């Protein structure tokens, strides 16, 4: 009886092993798609632009443009987008836009981005000429000259004019100076205070980050 029981137990173990070995293998986990640095950089810039923080979006693209791992086609794409943002609403760097478009055309000829840059360049140059005319005009007010300097990308010259003549910038220009990094939250800072309403409705009290201003 003992031998039969042992034999039956052994048979059961073998059958169990066979049953286990014949079970179909589970499906492998789906492959995780990791975005490239190029895709992450462009996505971040789009999010910043949508949030109304164009200067920081341009700064993010500048970092991406310096990445040695992106392809020439991608580099041309980044430079073109930098130009479009710099001359658009909230960009405050029309002269920079002209430079970015020129670089795409000169360094990446034959690409679609060079063609697009070529179509945008005349408008960027026209804006630059109009702003320079305001700056040079004896009939322009100090505020008009300040705004022209800011939009052109001559931010330090604009700030010098602003502090020299006690110009009160509008909310857009003040917000741009905050986003670019010239103005900071006032805690621990001295000098003139400037109030600004952020895109989300937050009211900030700012002073120049440089204590000398």
């Amino acid at each position: 009886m003992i031998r039969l029981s042992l034999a039956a137990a052994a048979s059961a173990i073998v059958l169990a092993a066979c049953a286990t070995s014949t079970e179909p293998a589970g499906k492998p986990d789906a492959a995780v798609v990791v975005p490239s640095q190029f895709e992450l950089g462009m996505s971040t810039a789009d999010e910043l632009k949508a949030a109304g923080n164009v200067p920081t979006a341009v700064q993010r693209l500048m970092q991406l443009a310096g990445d040695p791992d992106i392809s020439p086609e991608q580099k041309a794409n980044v430079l073109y987008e930098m130009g479009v943002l710099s001359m658009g609403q909230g960009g405050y760097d029309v002269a920079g836009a002209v430079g970015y478009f020129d670089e795409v055309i000169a360094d990446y000829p034959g690409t679609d981005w060079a063609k697009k840059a070529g179509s945008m360049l005349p408008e960027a140059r026209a804006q630059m000429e109009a702003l320079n005319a305001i700056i040079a005009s004896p009939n322009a007010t100090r505020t008009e000259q300040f705004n022209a300097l800011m939009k052109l990308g001559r931010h330090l010259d604009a700030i010098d004019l602003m502090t020299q003549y006690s110009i009160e910038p509008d909310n857009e220009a003040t917000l741009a100076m905050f986003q670019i990094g010239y103005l900071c939250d006032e805690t621990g800072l001295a000098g003139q205070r400037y109030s600004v309403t952020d895109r989300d409705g937050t009211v900030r009290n700012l002073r120049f980050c440089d204590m000398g201003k």
Side-chain angles (χ1 to χ4, degrees):
M1 293 294 294
I2 295 174
R3 289 181 180 178
L4 287 174
S5 298
L6 291 174
S11 297
I13 292 171
V14 171
L15 289 172
C18 292
T20 302
S21 64
T22 56
E23 289 182 358
K27 294 182 179 180
D29 294 336
V32 177
V33 178
V34 179
S36 66
Q37 289 301 312
F38 172 76
E39 292 169 330
L40 286 172
M42 296 296 281
S43 176
T44 301
D46 285 342
E47 291 172 1
L48 289 165
K49 176 187 174 183
N53 195 337
V54 176
T56 306
V58 174
Q59 291 171 6
R60 179 64 186 94
L61 291 177
M62 288 177 68
Q63 294 174 347
L64 185 58
D67 186 344
D69 293 330
I70 65 174
S71 69
E73 183 81 14
Q74 291 171 336
K75 176 72 173 289
N77 185 355
V78 173
L79 290 170
Y80 171 78
E81 293 299 334
M82 288 168 62
V84 172
L85 290 179
S86 295
M87 67 180 286
Q89 179 67 33
Y92 286 92
D93 192 8
V94 173
V98 171
Y100 298 137
F101 292 144
D102 278 337
E103 185 175 353
V104 176
I105 295 167
D107 294 348
Y108 306 96
T111 65
D112 288 341
W113 305 112
K115 295 177 183 177
K116 290 182 178 182
S119 67
M120 293 293 292
L121 187 56
E123 180 183 349
R125 284 179 172 163
Q127 285 191 28
M128 186 168 66
E129 291 173 2
L131 293 171
N132 279 323
I134 293 172
I135 295 167
S137 173
N139 298 320
T141 66
R142 299 297 185 189
T143 299
E144 289 171 339
Q145 291 175 331
F146 163 80
N147 286 326
L149 286 166
M150 279 294 297
K151 291 178 181 178
L152 190 62
R154 293 173 54 184
H155 304 144
L156 295 179
D157 290 337
I159 290 170
D160 285 343
L161 190 70
M162 170 183 168
T163 55
Q164 181 179 355
Y165 293 98
S166 301
I167 295 171
E168 291 286 343
D170 61 21
N171 194 79
E172 285 297 307
T174 306
L175 183 58
M177 287 190 288
F178 171 64
Q179 292 172 338
I180 295 169
Y182 297 116
L183 294 175
C184 296
D185 287 320
E186 68 174 342
T187 305
L189 297 175
Q192 176 69 38
R193 185 178 70 177
Y194 302 91
S195 294
V196 66
T197 303
D198 212 334
R199 303 293 185 193
D200 60 1
T202 302
V203 177
R204 302 178 184 275
N205 292 315
L206 309 173
R207 299 182 194 273
F208 279 106
C209 306
D210 180 357
M211 297 284 285
K213 293 294 184 185

